[in-house]
Amino acid sequence: AWKRCLYTAGHDSENWKLASAEEFQPMPRLCRCILAVYEDDFRNPIWAPPGGCHMNPNWVILGKYYEETHGQSTSYMICLDHEKADIVLAIKGLHLGNRSDYAVFFDNKLGQTTFDSGYAHNGLLNAARWVFDAEHEVLKDLLERNPTYTLTFARHSLGAGVVALLTTVEFQNQDLLGNVERKRIRRYALAPPRCTSLNLAIRYADVINSIVLQVATQAFL
């Protein structure tokens, strides 16, 4: 067990090839969207990076915080990026001072939850299901009213695990999103924790973009 605690995510990805400039191009914008979720007031941000979040507050469709997620998920927001013709669901990462985040993270045992002919992290899968159940009607409506827009799921750290599993939940319930074309939906997981068995990771590798910068300092169990 102690060896696993010292095994960082960097070991898993140390032999991955470098992303191309084209592949990495969306990341700065999506990182700024994720940072915006940490704000209590989108119009008066206090955590914005240099240059701001580059996001029009009028484009935010909804934002849900811990009081509204009841500990089932971290905070998240949905916004319409009219400049990039993109509907973005951005979800906050692990809050080190919030007990409910730890409850989600540690809600798992080896082999506890079978899913889609594989295994998934129980707490992260439940969080993904909660977000999908809460927002699939909103997302479906936005996709129907903006037929040329893409839909992007983006999240960091703990939330990246939820995005990865949200992808699998979405594929199993495509009718609830209006059977949207596969190419219209993109998923970006920044520094994701391990959350599925290897067979599921391989099965969804073509639709989930994992971003690892090789500078992680905490081990993901």
Side-chain angles (χ1 to χ4, degrees), residues 145-205:
R145 289 194 288 113
N146 301 276
T148 62
Y149 281 35
T150 53
L151 171 61
T152 300
F153 299 145
R155 198 165 178 180
H156 168 259
S157 183
L158 177 72
V162 178
V163 159
L165 289 170
L166 183 60
T167 299
T168 65
V169 172
E170 166 226 324
F171 269 100
Q172 292 193 338
N173 298 274
Q174 286 186 313
D175 57 314
L176 297 180
L177 284 181
N179 294 309
V180 62
E181 295 177 88
R182 185 186 184 101
K183 65 181 181 181
R184 286 185 65 192
I185 305 182
R186 304 178 300 174
R187 304 97 179 156
Y188 293 91
L190 285 73
R194 302 175 184 91
C195 57
T196 70
S197 52
L198 180 60
N199 65 321
L200 291 184
I202 294 174
R203 184 179 307 161
Y204 293 98

Short mmCIF file of all heavy atoms in Angstrom, two decimals, residues 145-205:
data_model
loop_
_atom_site.label_atom_id
_atom_site.label_comp_id
_atom_site.label_asym_id
_atom_site.label_seq_id
_atom_site.Cartn_x
_atom_site.Cartn_y
_atom_site.Cartn_z
N ARG A 145 -31.22 24.62 -29.36
CA ARG A 145 -31.35 26.04 -29.72
C ARG A 145 -30.09 26.59 -30.39
O ARG A 145 -30.13 27.68 -30.96
CB ARG A 145 -31.69 26.86 -28.46
CG ARG A 145 -33.11 26.60 -27.97
CD ARG A 145 -33.58 27.63 -26.96
NE ARG A 145 -32.95 27.51 -25.67
CZ ARG A 145 -32.11 28.38 -25.14
NH1 ARG A 145 -31.77 29.47 -25.82
NH2 ARG A 145 -31.60 28.19 -23.94
N ASN A 146 -28.99 25.84 -30.27
CA ASN A 146 -27.73 26.26 -30.90
C ASN A 146 -27.17 25.08 -31.70
O ASN A 146 -26.16 24.46 -31.30
CB ASN A 146 -26.74 26.71 -29.82
CG ASN A 146 -27.25 27.86 -28.98
OD1 ASN A 146 -27.13 29.02 -29.38
ND2 ASN A 146 -27.83 27.56 -27.83
N PRO A 147 -27.79 24.74 -32.82
CA PRO A 147 -27.45 23.51 -33.54
C PRO A 147 -26.05 23.48 -34.13
O PRO A 147 -25.58 22.40 -34.51
CB PRO A 147 -28.51 23.45 -34.65
CG PRO A 147 -28.96 24.87 -34.82
CD PRO A 147 -28.90 25.48 -33.46
N THR A 148 -25.37 24.60 -34.22
CA THR A 148 -24.00 24.61 -34.76
C THR A 148 -22.95 24.63 -33.66
O THR A 148 -21.75 24.62 -33.95
CB THR A 148 -23.79 25.83 -35.67
OG1 THR A 148 -23.96 27.03 -34.91
CG2 THR A 148 -24.80 25.83 -36.82
N TYR A 149 -23.38 24.66 -32.39
CA TYR A 149 -22.44 24.73 -31.28
C TYR A 149 -21.97 23.33 -30.87
O TYR A 149 -22.70 22.34 -31.01
CB TYR A 149 -23.09 25.41 -30.07
CG TYR A 149 -23.15 26.91 -30.16
CD1 TYR A 149 -23.35 27.56 -31.37
CD2 TYR A 149 -23.05 27.70 -29.01
CE1 TYR A 149 -23.43 28.95 -31.45
CE2 TYR A 149 -23.12 29.09 -29.08
CZ TYR A 149 -23.32 29.70 -30.30
OH TYR A 149 -23.40 31.06 -30.38
N THR A 150 -20.75 23.25 -30.34
CA THR A 150 -20.26 22.03 -29.73
C THR A 150 -20.60 22.04 -28.24
O THR A 150 -20.97 23.08 -27.68
CB THR A 150 -18.74 21.90 -29.90
OG1 THR A 150 -18.11 23.11 -29.42
CG2 THR A 150 -18.37 21.68 -31.35
N LEU A 151 -20.49 20.88 -27.61
CA LEU A 151 -20.69 20.75 -26.16
C LEU A 151 -19.39 20.23 -25.57
O LEU A 151 -18.87 19.19 -26.02
CB LEU A 151 -21.83 19.79 -25.85
CG LEU A 151 -22.02 19.38 -24.38
CD1 LEU A 151 -22.33 20.60 -23.51
CD2 LEU A 151 -23.12 18.33 -24.25
N THR A 152 -18.85 20.95 -24.60
CA THR A 152 -17.57 20.58 -24.00
C THR A 152 -17.72 20.36 -22.51
O THR A 152 -18.25 21.22 -21.80
CB THR A 152 -16.51 21.67 -24.26
OG1 THR A 152 -16.33 21.83 -25.67
CG2 THR A 152 -15.18 21.30 -23.63
N PHE A 153 -17.24 19.21 -22.02
CA PHE A 153 -17.13 18.94 -20.59
C PHE A 153 -15.68 19.17 -20.20
O PHE A 153 -14.77 18.63 -20.82
CB PHE A 153 -17.50 17.50 -20.26
CG PHE A 153 -18.91 17.11 -20.63
CD1 PHE A 153 -19.20 15.83 -21.07
CD2 PHE A 153 -19.95 18.02 -20.51
CE1 PHE A 153 -20.50 15.46 -21.38
CE2 PHE A 153 -21.26 17.66 -20.82
CZ PHE A 153 -21.53 16.37 -21.26
N ALA A 154 -15.45 19.97 -19.15
CA ALA A 154 -14.07 20.24 -18.73
C ALA A 154 -14.00 20.28 -17.21
O ALA A 154 -14.87 20.87 -16.55
CB ALA A 154 -13.59 21.56 -19.31
N ARG A 155 -12.98 19.66 -16.70
CA ARG A 155 -12.83 19.66 -15.25
C ARG A 155 -11.40 19.31 -14.87
O ARG A 155 -10.64 18.75 -15.66
CB ARG A 155 -13.82 18.67 -14.60
CG ARG A 155 -14.04 18.94 -13.12
CD ARG A 155 -15.26 18.20 -12.61
NE ARG A 155 -15.42 18.42 -11.16
CZ ARG A 155 -16.40 17.90 -10.44
NH1 ARG A 155 -17.32 17.15 -11.02
NH2 ARG A 155 -16.51 18.12 -9.16
N HIS A 156 -11.05 19.63 -13.63
CA HIS A 156 -9.69 19.47 -13.13
C HIS A 156 -9.70 18.59 -11.89
O HIS A 156 -10.65 18.59 -11.11
CB HIS A 156 -9.10 20.85 -12.80
CG HIS A 156 -7.84 20.80 -12.02
ND1 HIS A 156 -7.79 21.01 -10.66
CD2 HIS A 156 -6.56 20.55 -12.40
CE1 HIS A 156 -6.54 20.90 -10.24
NE2 HIS A 156 -5.78 20.63 -11.27
N SER A 157 -8.64 17.79 -11.72
CA SER A 157 -8.42 17.04 -10.49
C SER A 157 -9.58 16.09 -10.20
O SER A 157 -9.95 15.28 -11.04
CB SER A 157 -8.17 18.04 -9.35
OG SER A 157 -7.88 17.39 -8.14
N LEU A 158 -10.16 16.18 -9.02
CA LEU A 158 -11.30 15.33 -8.66
C LEU A 158 -12.39 15.45 -9.70
O LEU A 158 -13.00 14.45 -10.12
CB LEU A 158 -11.84 15.74 -7.28
CG LEU A 158 -13.08 14.99 -6.79
CD1 LEU A 158 -12.70 13.57 -6.40
CD2 LEU A 158 -13.71 15.71 -5.60
N GLY A 159 -12.63 16.66 -10.16
CA GLY A 159 -13.67 16.88 -11.15
C GLY A 159 -13.37 16.24 -12.48
O GLY A 159 -14.27 15.87 -13.24
N ALA A 160 -12.07 16.07 -12.81
CA ALA A 160 -11.71 15.43 -14.07
C ALA A 160 -12.18 13.98 -14.07
O ALA A 160 -12.57 13.44 -15.11
CB ALA A 160 -10.21 15.51 -14.29
N GLY A 161 -12.15 13.35 -12.91
CA GLY A 161 -12.68 11.99 -12.81
C GLY A 161 -14.17 11.96 -13.06
O GLY A 161 -14.69 11.04 -13.70
N VAL A 162 -14.87 12.99 -12.57
CA VAL A 162 -16.31 13.06 -12.81
C VAL A 162 -16.58 13.27 -14.30
O VAL A 162 -17.50 12.66 -14.86
CB VAL A 162 -16.94 14.20 -11.97
CG1 VAL A 162 -18.44 14.31 -12.27
CG2 VAL A 162 -16.74 13.93 -10.49
N VAL A 163 -15.80 14.13 -14.96
CA VAL A 163 -15.98 14.35 -16.39
C VAL A 163 -15.77 13.06 -17.17
O VAL A 163 -16.52 12.75 -18.10
CB VAL A 163 -15.01 15.45 -16.89
CG1 VAL A 163 -14.81 15.34 -18.40
CG2 VAL A 163 -15.57 16.82 -16.56
N ALA A 164 -14.73 12.31 -16.81
CA ALA A 164 -14.46 11.04 -17.50
C ALA A 164 -15.64 10.10 -17.37
O ALA A 164 -16.09 9.49 -18.35
CB ALA A 164 -13.19 10.41 -16.94
N LEU A 165 -16.19 9.98 -16.17
CA LEU A 165 -17.32 9.08 -15.97
C LEU A 165 -18.61 9.68 -16.48
O LEU A 165 -19.53 8.95 -16.88
CB LEU A 165 -17.42 8.71 -14.49
CG LEU A 165 -16.29 7.79 -14.03
CD1 LEU A 165 -16.26 7.64 -12.51
CD2 LEU A 165 -16.42 6.42 -14.68
N LEU A 166 -18.71 11.01 -16.49
CA LEU A 166 -19.87 11.66 -17.10
C LEU A 166 -19.95 11.30 -18.58
O LEU A 166 -21.04 11.14 -19.13
CB LEU A 166 -19.76 13.18 -16.91
CG LEU A 166 -20.91 14.04 -17.43
CD1 LEU A 166 -22.22 13.67 -16.75
CD2 LEU A 166 -20.60 15.52 -17.21
N THR A 167 -18.81 11.14 -19.20
CA THR A 167 -18.77 10.74 -20.61
C THR A 167 -19.40 9.36 -20.80
O THR A 167 -20.20 9.14 -21.70
CB THR A 167 -17.32 10.71 -21.11
OG1 THR A 167 -16.76 12.02 -21.00
CG2 THR A 167 -17.25 10.25 -22.55
N THR A 168 -19.05 8.42 -19.93
CA THR A 168 -19.61 7.08 -20.06
C THR A 168 -21.11 7.08 -19.78
O THR A 168 -21.87 6.38 -20.45
CB THR A 168 -18.89 6.10 -19.10
OG1 THR A 168 -19.16 6.46 -17.74
CG2 THR A 168 -17.39 6.12 -19.33
N VAL A 169 -21.53 7.87 -18.78
CA VAL A 169 -22.96 7.97 -18.48
C VAL A 169 -23.71 8.58 -19.66
O VAL A 169 -24.80 8.13 -20.03
CB VAL A 169 -23.18 8.81 -17.20
CG1 VAL A 169 -24.66 9.10 -16.99
CG2 VAL A 169 -22.60 8.11 -15.98
N GLU A 170 -23.11 9.59 -20.25
CA GLU A 170 -23.73 10.26 -21.40
C GLU A 170 -23.90 9.30 -22.57
O GLU A 170 -24.95 9.27 -23.23
CB GLU A 170 -22.86 11.44 -21.81
CG GLU A 170 -23.16 12.04 -23.17
CD GLU A 170 -21.92 12.29 -23.97
OE1 GLU A 170 -20.88 12.65 -23.38
OE2 GLU A 170 -21.99 12.10 -25.20
N PHE A 171 -22.89 8.48 -22.85
CA PHE A 171 -22.98 7.53 -23.95
C PHE A 171 -24.08 6.49 -23.73
O PHE A 171 -24.66 5.98 -24.68
CB PHE A 171 -21.64 6.85 -24.18
CG PHE A 171 -20.77 7.56 -25.17
CD1 PHE A 171 -19.75 8.39 -24.74
CD2 PHE A 171 -20.97 7.43 -26.53
CE1 PHE A 171 -18.94 9.06 -25.65
CE2 PHE A 171 -20.18 8.10 -27.45
CZ PHE A 171 -19.16 8.91 -27.00
N GLN A 172 -24.34 6.18 -22.48
CA GLN A 172 -25.38 5.21 -22.18
C GLN A 172 -26.77 5.84 -22.17
O GLN A 172 -27.78 5.12 -22.09
CB GLN A 172 -25.11 4.53 -20.83
CG GLN A 172 -23.88 3.64 -20.85
CD GLN A 172 -23.80 2.75 -19.64
OE1 GLN A 172 -24.38 3.02 -18.60
NE2 GLN A 172 -23.07 1.64 -19.75
N ASN A 173 -26.82 7.15 -22.24
CA ASN A 173 -28.12 7.85 -22.18
C ASN A 173 -28.19 8.93 -23.25
O ASN A 173 -28.68 10.04 -23.01
CB ASN A 173 -28.32 8.48 -20.80
CG ASN A 173 -28.36 7.45 -19.69
OD1 ASN A 173 -29.40 6.88 -19.39
ND2 ASN A 173 -27.22 7.24 -19.05
N GLN A 174 -27.73 8.61 -24.46
CA GLN A 174 -27.66 9.61 -25.52
C GLN A 174 -29.04 10.15 -25.90
O GLN A 174 -29.15 11.29 -26.35
CB GLN A 174 -26.97 9.01 -26.75
CG GLN A 174 -25.47 8.86 -26.58
CD GLN A 174 -24.80 8.40 -27.85
OE1 GLN A 174 -25.25 7.46 -28.50
NE2 GLN A 174 -23.72 9.06 -28.23
N ASP A 175 -30.08 9.35 -25.71
CA ASP A 175 -31.42 9.82 -26.06
C ASP A 175 -31.83 11.02 -25.21
O ASP A 175 -32.61 11.86 -25.65
CB ASP A 175 -32.44 8.69 -25.90
CG ASP A 175 -32.44 8.10 -24.50
OD1 ASP A 175 -31.35 7.84 -23.95
OD2 ASP A 175 -33.54 7.91 -23.93
N LEU A 176 -31.29 11.11 -23.99
CA LEU A 176 -31.65 12.22 -23.10
C LEU A 176 -30.99 13.53 -23.51
O LEU A 176 -31.38 14.59 -23.03
CB LEU A 176 -31.28 11.87 -21.66
CG LEU A 176 -32.02 10.66 -21.06
CD1 LEU A 176 -31.58 10.41 -19.63
CD2 LEU A 176 -33.54 10.88 -21.10
N LEU A 177 -30.01 13.44 -24.41
CA LEU A 177 -29.39 14.66 -24.96
C LEU A 177 -29.83 14.88 -26.40
O LEU A 177 -29.25 15.70 -27.12
CB LEU A 177 -27.86 14.57 -24.89
CG LEU A 177 -27.20 14.78 -23.53
CD1 LEU A 177 -25.69 14.68 -23.66
CD2 LEU A 177 -27.59 16.12 -22.92
N GLY A 178 -30.86 14.16 -26.81
CA GLY A 178 -31.38 14.33 -28.17
C GLY A 178 -30.56 13.61 -29.22
O GLY A 178 -30.58 13.99 -30.39
N ASN A 179 -29.84 12.54 -28.79
CA ASN A 179 -29.00 11.77 -29.72
C ASN A 179 -28.07 12.68 -30.53
O ASN A 179 -27.94 12.56 -31.75
CB ASN A 179 -29.88 10.94 -30.66
CG ASN A 179 -30.64 9.85 -29.93
OD1 ASN A 179 -30.05 9.07 -29.18
ND2 ASN A 179 -31.96 9.81 -30.12
N VAL A 180 -27.43 13.58 -29.82
CA VAL A 180 -26.51 14.52 -30.46
C VAL A 180 -25.34 13.77 -31.10
O VAL A 180 -24.91 12.71 -30.61
CB VAL A 180 -25.99 15.54 -29.41
CG1 VAL A 180 -25.22 14.84 -28.30
CG2 VAL A 180 -25.13 16.59 -30.07
N GLU A 181 -24.85 14.28 -32.22
CA GLU A 181 -23.75 13.64 -32.93
C GLU A 181 -22.51 13.54 -32.04
O GLU A 181 -22.18 14.47 -31.29
CB GLU A 181 -23.40 14.43 -34.18
CG GLU A 181 -24.48 14.48 -35.24
CD GLU A 181 -24.05 15.36 -36.41
OE1 GLU A 181 -23.40 14.82 -37.32
OE2 GLU A 181 -24.35 16.57 -36.39
N ARG A 182 -21.83 12.43 -32.15
CA ARG A 182 -20.64 12.17 -31.35
C ARG A 182 -19.60 13.27 -31.51
O ARG A 182 -18.96 13.69 -30.55
CB ARG A 182 -20.06 10.81 -31.75
CG ARG A 182 -18.88 10.32 -30.93
CD ARG A 182 -18.34 9.04 -31.55
NE ARG A 182 -17.26 8.45 -30.77
CZ ARG A 182 -17.38 7.41 -29.96
NH1 ARG A 182 -18.58 6.85 -29.81
NH2 ARG A 182 -16.34 6.93 -29.31
N LYS A 183 -19.44 13.77 -32.75
CA LYS A 183 -18.39 14.75 -33.03
C LYS A 183 -18.68 16.11 -32.41
O LYS A 183 -17.79 16.96 -32.35
CB LYS A 183 -18.19 14.90 -34.53
CG LYS A 183 -19.39 15.47 -35.28
CD LYS A 183 -19.12 15.56 -36.77
CE LYS A 183 -20.30 16.17 -37.53
NZ LYS A 183 -20.06 16.25 -38.99
N ARG A 184 -19.92 16.34 -31.95
CA ARG A 184 -20.26 17.63 -31.36
C ARG A 184 -19.89 17.72 -29.88
O ARG A 184 -19.95 18.80 -29.29
CB ARG A 184 -21.75 17.93 -31.52
CG ARG A 184 -22.20 18.29 -32.91
CD ARG A 184 -23.67 18.67 -32.93
NE ARG A 184 -23.94 19.88 -32.15
CZ ARG A 184 -25.17 20.28 -31.82
NH1 ARG A 184 -26.22 19.56 -32.17
NH2 ARG A 184 -25.34 21.40 -31.13
N ILE A 185 -19.54 16.61 -29.27
CA ILE A 185 -19.26 16.61 -27.84
C ILE A 185 -17.77 16.32 -27.60
O ILE A 185 -17.22 15.36 -28.12
CB ILE A 185 -20.13 15.57 -27.10
CG1 ILE A 185 -21.60 15.82 -27.40
CG2 ILE A 185 -19.87 15.64 -25.61
CD1 ILE A 185 -22.54 14.87 -26.67
N ARG A 186 -17.14 17.17 -26.78
CA ARG A 186 -15.73 17.03 -26.45
C ARG A 186 -15.58 16.95 -24.94
O ARG A 186 -16.35 17.56 -24.20
CB ARG A 186 -14.93 18.21 -27.00
CG ARG A 186 -15.08 18.41 -28.51
CD ARG A 186 -14.32 19.62 -29.01
NE ARG A 186 -14.78 20.85 -28.37
CZ ARG A 186 -14.21 22.04 -28.55
NH1 ARG A 186 -13.13 22.14 -29.30
NH2 ARG A 186 -14.69 23.11 -27.96
N ARG A 187 -14.59 16.20 -24.48
CA ARG A 187 -14.37 16.04 -23.04
C ARG A 187 -12.90 16.22 -22.73
O ARG A 187 -12.05 15.58 -23.37
CB ARG A 187 -14.80 14.66 -22.56
CG ARG A 187 -16.25 14.29 -22.88
CD ARG A 187 -16.29 13.48 -24.14
NE ARG A 187 -17.67 13.07 -24.47
CZ ARG A 187 -18.03 12.77 -25.69
NH1 ARG A 187 -17.20 12.86 -26.70
NH2 ARG A 187 -19.28 12.36 -25.92
N TYR A 188 -12.61 17.09 -21.76
CA TYR A 188 -11.23 17.36 -21.37
C TYR A 188 -11.09 17.15 -19.86
O TYR A 188 -11.77 17.80 -19.07
CB TYR A 188 -10.83 18.78 -21.74
CG TYR A 188 -10.76 19.01 -23.23
CD1 TYR A 188 -11.87 19.46 -23.94
CD2 TYR A 188 -9.58 18.76 -23.94
CE1 TYR A 188 -11.81 19.66 -25.31
CE2 TYR A 188 -9.52 18.95 -25.31
CZ TYR A 188 -10.64 19.41 -26.00
OH TYR A 188 -10.58 19.60 -27.35
N ALA A 189 -10.20 16.22 -19.50
CA ALA A 189 -9.95 15.92 -18.09
C ALA A 189 -8.53 16.35 -17.75
O ALA A 189 -7.56 15.78 -18.27
CB ALA A 189 -10.14 14.43 -17.82
N LEU A 190 -8.39 17.37 -16.91
CA LEU A 190 -7.08 17.91 -16.54
C LEU A 190 -6.61 17.26 -15.25
O LEU A 190 -7.29 17.33 -14.22
CB LEU A 190 -7.15 19.42 -16.36
CG LEU A 190 -7.24 20.29 -17.63
CD1 LEU A 190 -8.63 20.19 -18.26
CD2 LEU A 190 -6.92 21.73 -17.29
N ALA A 191 -5.46 16.61 -15.30
CA ALA A 191 -4.88 15.92 -14.14
C ALA A 191 -5.90 15.01 -13.48
O ALA A 191 -6.19 15.14 -12.30
CB ALA A 191 -4.35 16.95 -13.13
N PRO A 192 -6.46 14.06 -14.23
CA PRO A 192 -7.53 13.21 -13.69
C PRO A 192 -7.00 12.14 -12.74
O PRO A 192 -5.88 11.64 -12.91
CB PRO A 192 -8.12 12.56 -14.95
CG PRO A 192 -6.96 12.48 -15.89
CD PRO A 192 -6.16 13.73 -15.64
N PRO A 193 -7.79 11.77 -11.74
CA PRO A 193 -7.45 10.62 -10.90
C PRO A 193 -7.81 9.33 -11.63
O PRO A 193 -8.53 9.35 -12.63
CB PRO A 193 -8.35 10.81 -9.67
CG PRO A 193 -9.55 11.51 -10.22
CD PRO A 193 -9.04 12.41 -11.32
N ARG A 194 -7.31 8.22 -11.15
CA ARG A 194 -7.70 6.93 -11.72
C ARG A 194 -9.15 6.64 -11.31
O ARG A 194 -9.47 6.68 -10.13
CB ARG A 194 -6.78 5.83 -11.23
CG ARG A 194 -5.32 6.08 -11.56
CD ARG A 194 -4.42 5.01 -10.93
NE ARG A 194 -3.02 5.32 -11.18
CZ ARG A 194 -2.27 6.05 -10.37
NH1 ARG A 194 -2.79 6.55 -9.28
NH2 ARG A 194 -1.01 6.28 -10.66
N CYS A 195 -9.98 6.34 -12.28
CA CYS A 195 -11.40 6.18 -11.92
C CYS A 195 -12.10 5.05 -12.66
O CYS A 195 -13.28 4.80 -12.42
CB CYS A 195 -12.15 7.50 -12.15
SG CYS A 195 -12.04 8.13 -13.84
N THR A 196 -11.41 4.36 -13.58
CA THR A 196 -12.01 3.21 -14.26
C THR A 196 -11.00 2.09 -14.39
O THR A 196 -9.79 2.30 -14.25
CB THR A 196 -12.50 3.56 -15.69
OG1 THR A 196 -11.37 3.78 -16.54
CG2 THR A 196 -13.40 4.78 -15.70
N SER A 197 -11.52 0.91 -14.68
CA SER A 197 -10.64 -0.21 -15.01
C SER A 197 -10.02 0.03 -16.38
O SER A 197 -10.51 0.85 -17.16
CB SER A 197 -11.41 -1.53 -14.98
OG SER A 197 -12.58 -1.46 -15.78
N LEU A 198 -8.96 -0.70 -16.68
CA LEU A 198 -8.22 -0.47 -17.92
C LEU A 198 -9.09 -0.65 -19.15
O LEU A 198 -8.97 0.10 -20.12
CB LEU A 198 -7.01 -1.40 -17.97
CG LEU A 198 -6.11 -1.28 -19.21
CD1 LEU A 198 -5.53 0.12 -19.31
CD2 LEU A 198 -4.97 -2.31 -19.14
N ASN A 199 -9.99 -1.64 -19.15
CA ASN A 199 -10.80 -1.89 -20.35
C ASN A 199 -11.70 -0.71 -20.67
O ASN A 199 -11.93 -0.38 -21.83
CB ASN A 199 -11.60 -3.18 -20.20
CG ASN A 199 -12.64 -3.12 -19.09
OD1 ASN A 199 -12.39 -2.55 -18.04
ND2 ASN A 199 -13.79 -3.72 -19.33
N LEU A 200 -12.24 -0.03 -19.64
CA LEU A 200 -13.07 1.15 -19.89
C LEU A 200 -12.22 2.32 -20.36
O LEU A 200 -12.65 3.10 -21.24
CB LEU A 200 -13.84 1.53 -18.62
CG LEU A 200 -14.94 0.57 -18.17
CD1 LEU A 200 -15.66 1.14 -16.95
CD2 LEU A 200 -15.93 0.31 -19.29
N ALA A 201 -11.03 2.47 -19.79
CA ALA A 201 -10.14 3.55 -20.22
C ALA A 201 -9.80 3.42 -21.70
O ALA A 201 -9.77 4.41 -22.43
CB ALA A 201 -8.87 3.54 -19.37
N ILE A 202 -9.57 2.19 -22.14
CA ILE A 202 -9.25 1.96 -23.55
C ILE A 202 -10.48 2.18 -24.42
O ILE A 202 -10.40 2.79 -25.50
CB ILE A 202 -8.71 0.52 -23.75
CG1 ILE A 202 -7.36 0.38 -23.04
CG2 ILE A 202 -8.59 0.19 -25.23
CD1 ILE A 202 -6.81 -1.03 -23.04
N ARG A 203 -11.64 1.73 -23.96
CA ARG A 203 -12.87 1.84 -24.76
C ARG A 203 -13.24 3.29 -25.05
O ARG A 203 -13.74 3.62 -26.12
CB ARG A 203 -14.02 1.14 -24.03
CG ARG A 203 -15.33 1.10 -24.83
CD ARG A 203 -16.39 0.37 -24.04
NE ARG A 203 -15.91 -0.93 -23.61
CZ ARG A 203 -16.47 -1.63 -22.61
NH1 ARG A 203 -17.49 -1.13 -21.95
NH2 ARG A 203 -15.99 -2.82 -22.29
N TYR A 204 -13.00 4.18 -24.09
CA TYR A 204 -13.40 5.58 -24.26
C TYR A 204 -12.22 6.51 -24.55
O TYR A 204 -12.35 7.72 -24.48
CB TYR A 204 -14.15 6.05 -23.01
CG TYR A 204 -15.49 5.39 -22.82
CD1 TYR A 204 -15.64 4.31 -21.96
CD2 TYR A 204 -16.60 5.82 -23.54
CE1 TYR A 204 -16.87 3.69 -21.79
CE2 TYR A 204 -17.83 5.21 -23.38
CZ TYR A 204 -17.97 4.14 -22.51
OH TYR A 204 -19.19 3.52 -22.36
N ALA A 205 -11.07 5.93 -24.89
CA ALA A 205 -9.87 6.74 -25.11
C ALA A 205 -10.02 7.71 -26.28
O ALA A 205 -9.35 8.75 -26.31
CB ALA A 205 -8.67 5.82 -25.35
#
